[in-house]
Each structure stands twice: as C-alpha cells, then as structure tokens.
PDB file of all heavy atoms in Angstrom:
ATOM      1  N   ARG A  12      -2.334 -14.911  13.035  1.00  0.00           N
ATOM      2  CA  ARG A  12      -2.049 -13.653  13.731  1.00  0.00           C
ATOM      3  C   ARG A  12      -1.735 -12.487  12.801  1.00  0.00           C
ATOM      4  O   ARG A  12      -1.584 -11.345  13.247  1.00  0.00           O
ATOM      5  CB  ARG A  12      -0.893 -13.880  14.719  1.00  0.00           C
ATOM      6  CG  ARG A  12      -1.322 -14.810  15.848  1.00  0.00           C
ATOM      7  CD  ARG A  12      -0.167 -15.473  16.549  1.00  0.00           C
ATOM      8  NE  ARG A  12       0.314 -14.702  17.666  1.00  0.00           N
ATOM      9  CZ  ARG A  12       1.027 -15.237  18.672  1.00  0.00           C
ATOM     10  NH1 ARG A  12       1.292 -16.529  18.690  1.00  0.00           N
ATOM     11  NH2 ARG A  12       1.450 -14.474  19.653  1.00  0.00           N
ATOM     12  N   ILE A  13      -1.662 -12.755  11.514  1.00  0.00           N
ATOM     13  CA  ILE A  13      -1.278 -11.674  10.600  1.00  0.00           C
ATOM     14  C   ILE A  13      -2.377 -10.622  10.452  1.00  0.00           C
ATOM     15  O   ILE A  13      -2.100  -9.463  10.113  1.00  0.00           O
ATOM     16  CB  ILE A  13      -0.886 -12.233   9.213  1.00  0.00           C
ATOM     17  CG1 ILE A  13      -0.160 -11.136   8.410  1.00  0.00           C
ATOM     18  CG2 ILE A  13      -2.100 -12.771   8.473  1.00  0.00           C
ATOM     19  CD1 ILE A  13       0.448 -11.617   7.125  1.00  0.00           C
ATOM     20  N   ALA A  14      -3.620 -11.007  10.722  1.00  0.00           N
ATOM     21  CA  ALA A  14      -4.720 -10.044  10.575  1.00  0.00           C
ATOM     22  C   ALA A  14      -4.538  -8.827  11.481  1.00  0.00           C
ATOM     23  O   ALA A  14      -5.040  -7.745  11.181  1.00  0.00           O
ATOM     24  CB  ALA A  14      -6.055 -10.718  10.866  1.00  0.00           C
ATOM     25  N   ASP A  15      -3.810  -9.000  12.585  1.00  0.00           N
ATOM     26  CA  ASP A  15      -3.620  -7.904  13.536  1.00  0.00           C
ATOM     27  C   ASP A  15      -2.303  -7.157  13.318  1.00  0.00           C
ATOM     28  O   ASP A  15      -1.962  -6.268  14.096  1.00  0.00           O
ATOM     29  CB  ASP A  15      -3.660  -8.443  14.970  1.00  0.00           C
ATOM     30  CG  ASP A  15      -5.015  -9.038  15.321  1.00  0.00           C
ATOM     31  OD1 ASP A  15      -6.028  -8.454  14.900  1.00  0.00           O
ATOM     32  OD2 ASP A  15      -5.063 -10.080  15.991  1.00  0.00           O
ATOM     33  N   ALA A  16      -1.555  -7.529  12.269  1.00  0.00           N
ATOM     34  CA  ALA A  16      -0.232  -6.934  12.054  1.00  0.00           C
ATOM     35  C   ALA A  16      -0.259  -5.894  10.948  1.00  0.00           C
ATOM     36  O   ALA A  16      -0.989  -6.014   9.966  1.00  0.00           O
ATOM     37  CB  ALA A  16       0.784  -8.028  11.707  1.00  0.00           C
ATOM     38  N   ASP A  17       0.560  -4.849  11.109  1.00  0.00           N
ATOM     39  CA  ASP A  17       0.755  -3.848  10.068  1.00  0.00           C
ATOM     40  C   ASP A  17       1.911  -4.224   9.155  1.00  0.00           C
ATOM     41  O   ASP A  17       1.972  -3.781   8.013  1.00  0.00           O
ATOM     42  CB  ASP A  17       1.045  -2.487  10.696  1.00  0.00           C
ATOM     43  CG  ASP A  17      -0.126  -1.980  11.513  1.00  0.00           C
ATOM     44  OD1 ASP A  17      -1.192  -1.747  10.929  1.00  0.00           O
ATOM     45  OD2 ASP A  17       0.019  -1.839  12.741  1.00  0.00           O
ATOM     46  N   ILE A  18       2.843  -5.029   9.669  1.00  0.00           N
ATOM     47  CA  ILE A  18       4.020  -5.424   8.913  1.00  0.00           C
ATOM     48  C   ILE A  18       4.571  -6.716   9.526  1.00  0.00           C
ATOM     49  O   ILE A  18       4.393  -6.968  10.718  1.00  0.00           O
ATOM     50  CB  ILE A  18       5.100  -4.309   8.922  1.00  0.00           C
ATOM     51  CG1 ILE A  18       6.272  -4.670   8.008  1.00  0.00           C
ATOM     52  CG2 ILE A  18       5.557  -3.986  10.332  1.00  0.00           C
ATOM     53  CD1 ILE A  18       7.268  -3.511   7.811  1.00  0.00           C
ATOM     54  N   VAL A  19       5.221  -7.527   8.693  1.00  0.00           N
ATOM     55  CA  VAL A  19       5.844  -8.775   9.152  1.00  0.00           C
ATOM     56  C   VAL A  19       7.348  -8.672   8.964  1.00  0.00           C
ATOM     57  O   VAL A  19       7.819  -8.257   7.901  1.00  0.00           O
ATOM     58  CB  VAL A  19       5.316  -9.985   8.357  1.00  0.00           C
ATOM     59  CG1 VAL A  19       6.032 -11.268   8.794  1.00  0.00           C
ATOM     60  CG2 VAL A  19       3.814 -10.143   8.541  1.00  0.00           C
ATOM     61  N   ILE A  20       8.090  -9.037  10.015  1.00  0.00           N
ATOM     62  CA  ILE A  20       9.540  -9.197   9.911  1.00  0.00           C
ATOM     63  C   ILE A  20       9.804 -10.688  10.062  1.00  0.00           C
ATOM     64  O   ILE A  20       9.476 -11.287  11.091  1.00  0.00           O
ATOM     65  CB  ILE A  20      10.296  -8.402  10.979  1.00  0.00           C
ATOM     66  CG1 ILE A  20       9.950  -6.917  10.867  1.00  0.00           C
ATOM     67  CG2 ILE A  20      11.801  -8.612  10.854  1.00  0.00           C
ATOM     68  CD1 ILE A  20      10.570  -6.070  11.970  1.00  0.00           C
ATOM     69  N   LEU A  21      10.390 -11.293   9.054  1.00  0.00           N
ATOM     70  CA  LEU A  21      10.460 -12.750   8.971  1.00  0.00           C
ATOM     71  C   LEU A  21      11.882 -13.227   8.702  1.00  0.00           C
ATOM     72  O   LEU A  21      12.494 -12.847   7.702  1.00  0.00           O
ATOM     73  CB  LEU A  21       9.523 -13.222   7.848  1.00  0.00           C
ATOM     74  CG  LEU A  21       9.534 -14.693   7.469  1.00  0.00           C
ATOM     75  CD1 LEU A  21       9.078 -15.567   8.626  1.00  0.00           C
ATOM     76  CD2 LEU A  21       8.642 -14.912   6.243  1.00  0.00           C
ATOM     77  N   ASP A  22      12.382 -14.067   9.610  1.00  0.00           N
ATOM     78  CA  ASP A  22      13.695 -14.679   9.402  1.00  0.00           C
ATOM     79  C   ASP A  22      13.562 -15.861   8.453  1.00  0.00           C
ATOM     80  O   ASP A  22      12.562 -16.595   8.496  1.00  0.00           O
ATOM     81  CB  ASP A  22      14.278 -15.137  10.741  1.00  0.00           C
ATOM     82  CG  ASP A  22      15.696 -15.674  10.591  1.00  0.00           C
ATOM     83  OD1 ASP A  22      16.529 -14.971   9.992  1.00  0.00           O
ATOM     84  OD2 ASP A  22      15.954 -16.803  11.049  1.00  0.00           O
ATOM     85  N   VAL A  23      14.552 -16.066   7.598  1.00  0.00           N
ATOM     86  CA  VAL A  23      14.496 -17.164   6.625  1.00  0.00           C
ATOM     87  C   VAL A  23      14.738 -18.518   7.283  1.00  0.00           C
ATOM     88  O   VAL A  23      14.043 -19.492   7.005  1.00  0.00           O
ATOM     89  CB  VAL A  23      15.511 -16.931   5.490  1.00  0.00           C
ATOM     90  CG1 VAL A  23      15.640 -18.178   4.616  1.00  0.00           C
ATOM     91  CG2 VAL A  23      15.091 -15.736   4.643  1.00  0.00           C
ATOM     92  N   MET A  24      15.732 -18.592   8.183  1.00  0.00           N
ATOM     93  CA  MET A  24      16.110 -19.867   8.801  1.00  0.00           C
ATOM     94  C   MET A  24      15.259 -20.107  10.039  1.00  0.00           C
ATOM     95  O   MET A  24      15.513 -19.560  11.108  1.00  0.00           O
ATOM     96  CB  MET A  24      17.599 -19.851   9.166  1.00  0.00           C
ATOM     97  CG  MET A  24      18.514 -19.628   7.973  1.00  0.00           C
ATOM     98  SD  MET A  24      18.399 -20.961   6.746  1.00  0.00           S
ATOM     99  CE  MET A  24      19.150 -22.311   7.666  1.00  0.00           C
ATOM    100  N   LEU A  25      14.217 -20.923   9.875  1.00  0.00           N
ATOM    101  CA  LEU A  25      13.313 -21.231  10.973  1.00  0.00           C
ATOM    102  C   LEU A  25      13.216 -22.742  11.168  1.00  0.00           C
ATOM    103  O   LEU A  25      13.397 -23.501  10.215  1.00  0.00           O
ATOM    104  CB  LEU A  25      11.906 -20.687  10.682  1.00  0.00           C
ATOM    105  CG  LEU A  25      11.723 -19.177  10.588  1.00  0.00           C
ATOM    106  CD1 LEU A  25      10.306 -18.861  10.110  1.00  0.00           C
ATOM    107  CD2 LEU A  25      11.987 -18.510  11.933  1.00  0.00           C
ATOM    108  N   PRO A  26      12.905 -23.197  12.379  1.00  0.00           N
ATOM    109  CA  PRO A  26      12.659 -24.625  12.583  1.00  0.00           C
ATOM    110  C   PRO A  26      11.341 -25.016  11.918  1.00  0.00           C
ATOM    111  O   PRO A  26      10.404 -24.220  11.852  1.00  0.00           O
ATOM    112  CB  PRO A  26      12.564 -24.751  14.108  1.00  0.00           C
ATOM    113  CG  PRO A  26      12.124 -23.400  14.572  1.00  0.00           C
ATOM    114  CD  PRO A  26      12.763 -22.427  13.629  1.00  0.00           C
ATOM    115  N   GLY A  27      11.280 -26.232  11.409  1.00  0.00           N
ATOM    116  CA  GLY A  27      10.063 -26.642  10.714  1.00  0.00           C
ATOM    117  C   GLY A  27      10.022 -26.002   9.339  1.00  0.00           C
ATOM    118  O   GLY A  27      10.982 -26.078   8.574  1.00  0.00           O
ATOM    119  N   LEU A  28       8.920 -25.334   9.025  1.00  0.00           N
ATOM    120  CA  LEU A  28       8.803 -24.657   7.737  1.00  0.00           C
ATOM    121  C   LEU A  28       9.776 -23.486   7.664  1.00  0.00           C
ATOM    122  O   LEU A  28       9.874 -22.697   8.599  1.00  0.00           O
ATOM    123  CB  LEU A  28       7.373 -24.142   7.539  1.00  0.00           C
ATOM    124  CG  LEU A  28       6.265 -25.194   7.417  1.00  0.00           C
ATOM    125  CD1 LEU A  28       4.910 -24.513   7.335  1.00  0.00           C
ATOM    126  CD2 LEU A  28       6.483 -26.076   6.197  1.00  0.00           C
ATOM    127  N   ASP A  29      10.503 -23.379   6.539  1.00  0.00           N
ATOM    128  CA  ASP A  29      11.451 -22.272   6.421  1.00  0.00           C
ATOM    129  C   ASP A  29      10.713 -20.968   6.133  1.00  0.00           C
ATOM    130  O   ASP A  29       9.516 -20.940   5.856  1.00  0.00           O
ATOM    131  CB  ASP A  29      12.503 -22.560   5.353  1.00  0.00           C
ATOM    132  CG  ASP A  29      11.921 -22.691   3.949  1.00  0.00           C
ATOM    133  OD1 ASP A  29      10.898 -22.032   3.656  1.00  0.00           O
ATOM    134  OD2 ASP A  29      12.481 -23.448   3.145  1.00  0.00           O
ATOM    135  N   GLY A  30      11.466 -19.870   6.226  1.00  0.00           N
ATOM    136  CA  GLY A  30      10.869 -18.558   6.074  1.00  0.00           C
ATOM    137  C   GLY A  30      10.256 -18.314   4.706  1.00  0.00           C
ATOM    138  O   GLY A  30       9.272 -17.574   4.590  1.00  0.00           O
ATOM    139  N   PHE A  31      10.822 -18.938   3.665  1.00  0.00           N
ATOM    140  CA  PHE A  31      10.255 -18.762   2.334  1.00  0.00           C
ATOM    141  C   PHE A  31       8.827 -19.326   2.279  1.00  0.00           C
ATOM    142  O   PHE A  31       7.917 -18.703   1.750  1.00  0.00           O
ATOM    143  CB  PHE A  31      11.129 -19.451   1.283  1.00  0.00           C
ATOM    144  CG  PHE A  31      12.487 -18.835   1.120  1.00  0.00           C
ATOM    145  CD1 PHE A  31      13.637 -19.598   1.216  1.00  0.00           C
ATOM    146  CD2 PHE A  31      12.635 -17.469   0.872  1.00  0.00           C
ATOM    147  CE1 PHE A  31      14.889 -19.032   1.058  1.00  0.00           C
ATOM    148  CE2 PHE A  31      13.887 -16.887   0.712  1.00  0.00           C
ATOM    149  CZ  PHE A  31      15.017 -17.677   0.806  1.00  0.00           C
ATOM    150  N   THR A  32       8.658 -20.521   2.833  1.00  0.00           N
ATOM    151  CA  THR A  32       7.333 -21.156   2.825  1.00  0.00           C
ATOM    152  C   THR A  32       6.355 -20.378   3.697  1.00  0.00           C
ATOM    153  O   THR A  32       5.211 -20.121   3.308  1.00  0.00           O
ATOM    154  CB  THR A  32       7.429 -22.606   3.316  1.00  0.00           C
ATOM    155  OG1 THR A  32       8.359 -23.323   2.489  1.00  0.00           O
ATOM    156  CG2 THR A  32       6.071 -23.288   3.260  1.00  0.00           C
ATOM    157  N   VAL A  33       6.812 -20.001   4.901  1.00  0.00           N
ATOM    158  CA  VAL A  33       5.959 -19.237   5.808  1.00  0.00           C
ATOM    159  C   VAL A  33       5.564 -17.912   5.164  1.00  0.00           C
ATOM    160  O   VAL A  33       4.399 -17.499   5.213  1.00  0.00           O
ATOM    161  CB  VAL A  33       6.670 -18.987   7.149  1.00  0.00           C
ATOM    162  CG1 VAL A  33       5.844 -18.035   8.028  1.00  0.00           C
ATOM    163  CG2 VAL A  33       6.899 -20.306   7.885  1.00  0.00           C
ATOM    164  N   GLY A  34       6.517 -17.247   4.543  1.00  0.00           N
ATOM    165  CA  GLY A  34       6.242 -15.956   3.921  1.00  0.00           C
ATOM    166  C   GLY A  34       5.232 -16.050   2.797  1.00  0.00           C
ATOM    167  O   GLY A  34       4.357 -15.180   2.658  1.00  0.00           O
ATOM    168  N   GLN A  35       5.324 -17.097   1.990  1.00  0.00           N
ATOM    169  CA  GLN A  35       4.369 -17.275   0.899  1.00  0.00           C
ATOM    170  C   GLN A  35       2.957 -17.469   1.442  1.00  0.00           C
ATOM    171  O   GLN A  35       1.978 -16.945   0.891  1.00  0.00           O
ATOM    172  CB  GLN A  35       4.785 -18.464   0.038  1.00  0.00           C
ATOM    173  CG  GLN A  35       6.032 -18.190  -0.793  1.00  0.00           C
ATOM    174  CD  GLN A  35       6.627 -19.446  -1.396  1.00  0.00           C
ATOM    175  OE1 GLN A  35       6.221 -20.560  -1.068  1.00  0.00           O
ATOM    176  NE2 GLN A  35       7.600 -19.277  -2.281  1.00  0.00           N
ATOM    177  N   ARG A  36       2.837 -18.218   2.541  1.00  0.00           N
ATOM    178  CA  ARG A  36       1.520 -18.442   3.147  1.00  0.00           C
ATOM    179  C   ARG A  36       0.967 -17.151   3.747  1.00  0.00           C
ATOM    180  O   ARG A  36      -0.225 -16.878   3.647  1.00  0.00           O
ATOM    181  CB  ARG A  36       1.620 -19.539   4.215  1.00  0.00           C
ATOM    182  CG  ARG A  36       1.930 -20.908   3.634  1.00  0.00           C
ATOM    183  CD  ARG A  36       1.928 -21.988   4.703  1.00  0.00           C
ATOM    184  NE  ARG A  36       2.193 -23.298   4.103  1.00  0.00           N
ATOM    185  CZ  ARG A  36       2.199 -24.444   4.795  1.00  0.00           C
ATOM    186  NH1 ARG A  36       1.956 -24.435   6.098  1.00  0.00           N
ATOM    187  NH2 ARG A  36       2.436 -25.587   4.183  1.00  0.00           N
ATOM    188  N   LEU A  37       1.846 -16.370   4.363  1.00  0.00           N
ATOM    189  CA  LEU A  37       1.405 -15.106   4.943  1.00  0.00           C
ATOM    190  C   LEU A  37       0.937 -14.138   3.866  1.00  0.00           C
ATOM    191  O   LEU A  37      -0.066 -13.440   4.031  1.00  0.00           O
ATOM    192  CB  LEU A  37       2.534 -14.481   5.767  1.00  0.00           C
ATOM    193  CG  LEU A  37       2.918 -15.201   7.059  1.00  0.00           C
ATOM    194  CD1 LEU A  37       4.151 -14.552   7.679  1.00  0.00           C
ATOM    195  CD2 LEU A  37       1.767 -15.187   8.053  1.00  0.00           C
ATOM    196  N   LYS A  38       1.670 -14.091   2.772  1.00  0.00           N
ATOM    197  CA  LYS A  38       1.307 -13.165   1.691  1.00  0.00           C
ATOM    198  C   LYS A  38      -0.022 -13.563   1.065  1.00  0.00           C
ATOM    199  O   LYS A  38      -0.829 -12.699   0.678  1.00  0.00           O
ATOM    200  CB  LYS A  38       2.402 -13.146   0.626  1.00  0.00           C
ATOM    201  CG  LYS A  38       2.395 -11.875  -0.210  1.00  0.00           C
ATOM    202  CD  LYS A  38       2.718 -10.665   0.664  1.00  0.00           C
ATOM    203  CE  LYS A  38       2.855  -9.400  -0.135  1.00  0.00           C
ATOM    204  NZ  LYS A  38       3.102  -8.226   0.726  1.00  0.00           N
ATOM    205  N   LYS A  39      -0.267 -14.858   0.972  1.00  0.00           N
ATOM    206  CA  LYS A  39      -1.549 -15.319   0.442  1.00  0.00           C
ATOM    207  C   LYS A  39      -2.686 -14.953   1.387  1.00  0.00           C
ATOM    208  O   LYS A  39      -3.772 -14.561   0.961  1.00  0.00           O
ATOM    209  CB  LYS A  39      -1.519 -16.831   0.221  1.00  0.00           C
ATOM    210  CG  LYS A  39      -2.808 -17.381  -0.359  1.00  0.00           C
ATOM    211  CD  LYS A  39      -2.719 -18.886  -0.589  1.00  0.00           C
ATOM    212  CE  LYS A  39      -4.035 -19.413  -1.167  1.00  0.00           C
ATOM    213  NZ  LYS A  39      -3.990 -20.882  -1.380  1.00  0.00           N
ATOM    214  N   ALA A  40      -2.427 -15.081   2.693  1.00  0.00           N
ATOM    215  CA  ALA A  40      -3.462 -14.793   3.687  1.00  0.00           C
ATOM    216  C   ALA A  40      -3.757 -13.302   3.787  1.00  0.00           C
ATOM    217  O   ALA A  40      -4.892 -12.903   4.045  1.00  0.00           O
ATOM    218  CB  ALA A  40      -3.042 -15.328   5.053  1.00  0.00           C
ATOM    219  N   SER A  41      -2.738 -12.461   3.593  1.00  0.00           N
ATOM    220  CA  SER A  41      -2.929 -11.011   3.725  1.00  0.00           C
ATOM    221  C   SER A  41      -2.050 -10.292   2.702  1.00  0.00           C
ATOM    222  O   SER A  41      -0.953  -9.825   3.030  1.00  0.00           O
ATOM    223  CB  SER A  41      -2.572 -10.555   5.148  1.00  0.00           C
ATOM    224  OG  SER A  41      -2.848  -9.193   5.333  1.00  0.00           O
ATOM    225  N   PRO A  42      -2.502 -10.217   1.446  1.00  0.00           N
ATOM    226  CA  PRO A  42      -1.667  -9.672   0.366  1.00  0.00           C
ATOM    227  C   PRO A  42      -1.196  -8.243   0.589  1.00  0.00           C
ATOM    228  O   PRO A  42      -0.163  -7.842   0.057  1.00  0.00           O
ATOM    229  CB  PRO A  42      -2.590  -9.762  -0.862  1.00  0.00           C
ATOM    230  CG  PRO A  42      -3.609 -10.792  -0.508  1.00  0.00           C
ATOM    231  CD  PRO A  42      -3.815 -10.671   0.965  1.00  0.00           C
ATOM    232  N   GLN A  43      -1.958  -7.454   1.363  1.00  0.00           N
ATOM    233  CA  GLN A  43      -1.615  -6.041   1.534  1.00  0.00           C
ATOM    234  C   GLN A  43      -0.667  -5.773   2.701  1.00  0.00           C
ATOM    235  O   GLN A  43      -0.263  -4.633   2.919  1.00  0.00           O
ATOM    236  CB  GLN A  43      -2.902  -5.228   1.735  1.00  0.00           C
ATOM    237  CG  GLN A  43      -3.863  -5.319   0.564  1.00  0.00           C
ATOM    238  CD  GLN A  43      -3.233  -4.861  -0.727  1.00  0.00           C
ATOM    239  OE1 GLN A  43      -2.695  -3.758  -0.807  1.00  0.00           O
ATOM    240  NE2 GLN A  43      -3.288  -5.695  -1.752  1.00  0.00           N
ATOM    241  N   THR A  44      -0.297  -6.826   3.460  1.00  0.00           N
ATOM    242  CA  THR A  44       0.610  -6.633   4.593  1.00  0.00           C
ATOM    243  C   THR A  44       2.050  -6.809   4.131  1.00  0.00           C
ATOM    244  O   THR A  44       2.412  -7.879   3.636  1.00  0.00           O
ATOM    245  CB  THR A  44       0.308  -7.639   5.721  1.00  0.00           C
ATOM    246  OG1 THR A  44      -1.059  -7.512   6.119  1.00  0.00           O
ATOM    247  CG2 THR A  44       1.204  -7.377   6.928  1.00  0.00           C
ATOM    248  N   PRO A  45       2.897  -5.790   4.259  1.00  0.00           N
ATOM    249  CA  PRO A  45       4.282  -5.908   3.786  1.00  0.00           C
ATOM    250  C   PRO A  45       5.093  -6.886   4.616  1.00  0.00           C
ATOM    251  O   PRO A  45       4.900  -7.013   5.827  1.00  0.00           O
ATOM    252  CB  PRO A  45       4.829  -4.479   3.919  1.00  0.00           C
ATOM    253  CG  PRO A  45       3.964  -3.838   4.957  1.00  0.00           C
ATOM    254  CD  PRO A  45       2.607  -4.459   4.816  1.00  0.00           C
ATOM    255  N   ILE A  46       6.006  -7.577   3.949  1.00  0.00           N
ATOM    256  CA  ILE A  46       6.892  -8.550   4.597  1.00  0.00           C
ATOM    257  C   ILE A  46       8.335  -8.140   4.369  1.00  0.00           C
ATOM    258  O   ILE A  46       8.752  -7.904   3.230  1.00  0.00           O
ATOM    259  CB  ILE A  46       6.662  -9.968   4.043  1.00  0.00           C
ATOM    260  CG1 ILE A  46       5.235 -10.443   4.349  1.00  0.00           C
ATOM    261  CG2 ILE A  46       7.686 -10.953   4.613  1.00  0.00           C
ATOM    262  CD1 ILE A  46       4.889 -11.800   3.749  1.00  0.00           C
ATOM    263  N   LEU A  47       9.091  -8.055   5.459  1.00  0.00           N
ATOM    264  CA  LEU A  47      10.522  -7.773   5.404  1.00  0.00           C
ATOM    265  C   LEU A  47      11.266  -9.041   5.807  1.00  0.00           C
ATOM    266  O   LEU A  47      11.116  -9.524   6.930  1.00  0.00           O
ATOM    267  CB  LEU A  47      10.874  -6.627   6.352  1.00  0.00           C
ATOM    268  CG  LEU A  47      12.355  -6.327   6.602  1.00  0.00           C
ATOM    269  CD1 LEU A  47      13.073  -6.000   5.302  1.00  0.00           C
ATOM    270  CD2 LEU A  47      12.508  -5.185   7.597  1.00  0.00           C
ATOM    271  N   LEU A  48      12.035  -9.589   4.887  1.00  0.00           N
ATOM    272  CA  LEU A  48      12.797 -10.812   5.165  1.00  0.00           C
ATOM    273  C   LEU A  48      14.151 -10.477   5.776  1.00  0.00           C
ATOM    274  O   LEU A  48      14.820  -9.545   5.334  1.00  0.00           O
ATOM    275  CB  LEU A  48      13.028 -11.598   3.870  1.00  0.00           C
ATOM    276  CG  LEU A  48      11.988 -12.610   3.401  1.00  0.00           C
ATOM    277  CD1 LEU A  48      12.484 -13.304   2.139  1.00  0.00           C
ATOM    278  CD2 LEU A  48      11.687 -13.637   4.479  1.00  0.00           C
ATOM    279  N   LEU A  49      14.534 -11.260   6.779  1.00  0.00           N
ATOM    280  CA  LEU A  49      15.865 -11.170   7.366  1.00  0.00           C
ATOM    281  C   LEU A  49      16.605 -12.463   7.091  1.00  0.00           C
ATOM    282  O   LEU A  49      16.046 -13.552   7.267  1.00  0.00           O
ATOM    283  CB  LEU A  49      15.775 -10.962   8.884  1.00  0.00           C
ATOM    284  CG  LEU A  49      15.008  -9.738   9.397  1.00  0.00           C
ATOM    285  CD1 LEU A  49      15.002  -9.744  10.920  1.00  0.00           C
ATOM    286  CD2 LEU A  49      15.621  -8.453   8.871  1.00  0.00           C
TER     287      LEU A  49
END
C-alpha cells in the first residue's frame, strides 16, 4: 500500500514484525517516501 502514500507514520511497537523491521521494508520498497516513526 505504500505506492499510494505520500508519507508513512509508523509506530515502533507493533504485533508481529516490529516497526523497525516494517520501516526498513517500506523504505526499500519506496525510498523516496518519508517515514515518521512514533
């Protein structure tokens, strides 16, 4: 779903994969989309 986003707001504490892992995958998939960690 990141292809349709202008920006990502991502919480670190998530069920399953944590926010650090999810964020790294998102950045790889769309390097130009900014990510704001909470």
Side-chain angles (χ1 to χ4, degrees):
R12 293 159 90 159
I13 194 171
D15 296 321
D17 296 297
I18 186 171
V19 177
I20 302 175
L21 174 63
D22 185 51
V23 170
M24 301 297 291
L25 295 172
L28 294 176
D29 64 31
F31 294 126
T32 303
V33 173
Q35 289 167 351
R36 293 184 178 183
L37 291 174
K38 203 64 174 177
K39 181 179 180 181
S41 185
Q43 300 302 307
T44 303
I46 297 176
L47 171 59
L48 272 183
L49 302 178

